[in-house]
Amino acid sequence: EAVETEETEAEAEAAGDQQGILVAAAASLQYVMEDKIQPAFEKENPDIKLSFTFDSSGKLQTQIEEGADADVFFSAAMKQMNALEDEGLVDADSVVELLENKVVLIKPKDGETKVTGFENITDAANLALAGEDVPVGQYSKEAFENLGMWDDVEAKTSFGTNVTEVLSWVAAGSADAGIVYLTDATTSDQFDQVKVIGYAPEGSVSKVIYPVGVVS
């Protein structure tokens, strides 16, 4: 079957009618997009070639505003999609709220920590969180503000520029605990070096919705 697909792709390319779709997708989607979605999609659609640009949702929003030639935007939060919709840069009718992720607390796999969940996270010696311009950082802050713990948490935190950096710090043991998405803690190339020890308490954080839409 695999050989057959290759031939069809080659034929389509030779005939010059293979189309390309550039998907601008949140960094947390890289694994599933490249390893799962792309092969499945291209097998079903041999005349279409997928390519990707991965970054934080905020950076991708800015790139689209500056005229990047993405065809599809797949965001890790509604905020960035809503902004592009309001600016007429995404076709509002095309937007689908496709996925939900979870905000989780992790520790180094073999690390010793008194922390058992969000409620006693300030027992950690030091914490790693994403900065506020990254969706997972916004969710983290929202959760701790609602739990009345933000000031204490912030005092112990090193802020990463994206979720991957937070994951790396915890995996390496340079942070006692950190907050990432469940997908980062279970599918990334470092997932086996960390352990999930808690979920954001019900009601403390908005739902983490990943919308996808066609760039107009």
Side-chain angles (χ1 to χ4, degrees), residues 108-120:
K109 188 163 191 187
D110 304 320
E112 292 301 318
T113 178
K114 296 180 191 144
V115 179
T116 53
F118 273 69
E119 293 76 5
N120 72 337

Side-chain angles (χ1 to χ4, degrees), residues 79-209:
K79 183 182 167 190
Q80 291 78 13
M81 187 67 78
N82 291 341
L84 290 174
E85 243 181 78
D86 292 345
E87 292 160 18
L89 293 170
V90 160
D91 174 10
D93 294 337
S94 73
V95 177
V96 177
E97 295 180 15
L98 193 61
L99 308 174
E100 182 183 355
N101 214 335
K102 298 282 187 194
V103 175
V104 298
L105 182 62
I106 55 168
K107 73 174 189 81
K109 188 163 191 187
D110 304 320
E112 292 301 318
T113 178
K114 296 180 191 144
V115 179
T116 53
F118 273 69
E119 293 76 5
N120 72 337
I121 192 171
T122 51
D123 289 347
N126 52 11
L127 297 166
L129 300 182
E132 271 183 77
D133 52 347
V134 179
V136 74
Q138 292 157 10
Y139 293 122
S140 306
K141 183 176 180 182
E142 180 190 0
F144 291 121
E145 280 181 335
N146 287 331
L147 294 166
M149 299 163 63
W150 176 244
D151 291 345
D152 296 335
V153 167
E154 189 179 23
K156 291 189 164 187
T157 295
S158 296
F159 290 97
T161 54
N162 56 37
V163 75
T164 314
E165 193 165 22
V166 173
L167 187 76
S168 299
W169 288 346
V170 177
S174 54
D176 215 7
I179 292 182
V180 297
Y181 291 126
L182 183 59
T183 47
D184 298 301
T186 51
T187 59
S188 70
D189 53 4
Q190 293 173 301
F191 82 94
D192 53 347
Q193 296 161 50
V194 299
K195 184 173 181 208
V196 174
I197 53 174
Y199 289 77
E202 194 64 45
S204 68
V205 67
S206 347
K207 279 196 159 191
V208 181
I209 300 294

Side-chain angles (χ1 to χ4, degrees), residues 65-83:
E65 287 166 344
E66 290 170 353
D69 59 356
D71 298 300
V72 175
F73 179 43
F74 204 160
S75 175
M78 290 303 297
K79 183 182 167 190
Q80 291 78 13
M81 187 67 78
N82 291 341

